[in-house]
């Protein structure tokens, strides 16, 4: 009986012990105010703008933007391009530049993953497909249905 109680107590202590915790970096300036070292902003009547800032902990950002094709229905697009930089918790400098327009958001940075190049055989196959004229085709099931009902092949009812 005593061994059962001792064993139960050991199991309870083992389960109560702290489990493995994944690394979670603490903010470097926790509880401190971060000074803004430099800041500019400009908003214009033509909807163009620009801003930039730099903080005491090494964060910097800047962006410019404007409305492309203003007043043209279905062609207006807000364009923005800029960059930002900071240091990761491990001390690695991170820098990203980007553009956002009617073609979407595109970012570049040495730390961002890139897809592998498209294999040459796939590129040749795509070029071949693009070189062939597109021909509308009747779905196979419709052709079979018309033929089973005794209609001539070109007949569509």
């Amino acid at each position: 009986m005593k061994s059962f109680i001792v064993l139960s107590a050991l199991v309870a202590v083992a389960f109560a012990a702290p489990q493995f915790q994944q690394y979670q970096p603490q903010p470097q300036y926790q509880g401190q105010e971060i000074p803004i070292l430099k800041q500019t902003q400009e908003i214009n009547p033509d909807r163009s703008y620009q801003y930039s800032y730099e903080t005491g902990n090494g964060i910097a950002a800047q962006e410019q933007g404007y409305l492309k094709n203003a007043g043209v229905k279905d062609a207006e697009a807000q364009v923005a391009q800029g960059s930002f930089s900071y240091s990761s918790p491990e001390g690695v400098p991170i820098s990203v530049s980007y553009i956002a327009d009617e073609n979407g958001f595109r970012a570049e940075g040495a730390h961002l993953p890139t897809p592998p190049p498209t294999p040459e055989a796939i590129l040749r196959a795509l070029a071949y497909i693009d070189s062939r004229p597109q021909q509308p085709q009747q779905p196979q099931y419709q052709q079979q249905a018309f033929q089973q009902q005794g209609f001539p092949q070109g007949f569509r009812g």
Side-chain angles (χ1 to χ4, degrees), residues 67-141:
L67 184 62
K68 185 175 184 179
N69 300 322
V72 180
K73 183 178 173 141
D74 297 330
E76 280 189 349
Q78 182 68 41
V79 177
Q81 67 180 54
S83 63
F84 59 89
S85 61
Y86 62 96
S87 291
S88 74
E90 296 78 25
V92 177
I94 303 293
S95 183
V96 176
S97 60
Y98 60 88
I99 186 165
D101 57 16
E102 67 274 10
N103 298 315
F105 179 83
R106 299 172 307 282
E108 294 179 2
H111 67 291
L112 296 175
T114 57
T118 305
E120 186 63 34
I122 300 297
L123 292 173
R124 284 194 311 269
L126 292 172
Y128 174 77
I129 291 169
D130 286 342
S131 71
R132 308 296 296 170
Q134 293 291 328
Q135 298 176 356
Q137 292 200 348
Q138 186 178 9
Q140 186 67 26
Y141 69 87

Side-chain angles (χ1 to χ4, degrees), residues 28-29 33-38 53-62 83-88 91-96:
Q28 191 175 17
Y29 292 93
E33 287 188 25
I34 309 301
I36 303 295
L37 304 177
K38 184 168 68 169
Y53 62 87
E54 197 173 316
T55 67
N57 61 350
I59 298 173
Q62 61 86 24
S83 63
F84 59 89
S85 61
Y86 62 96
S87 291
S88 74
V92 177
I94 303 293
S95 183
V96 176

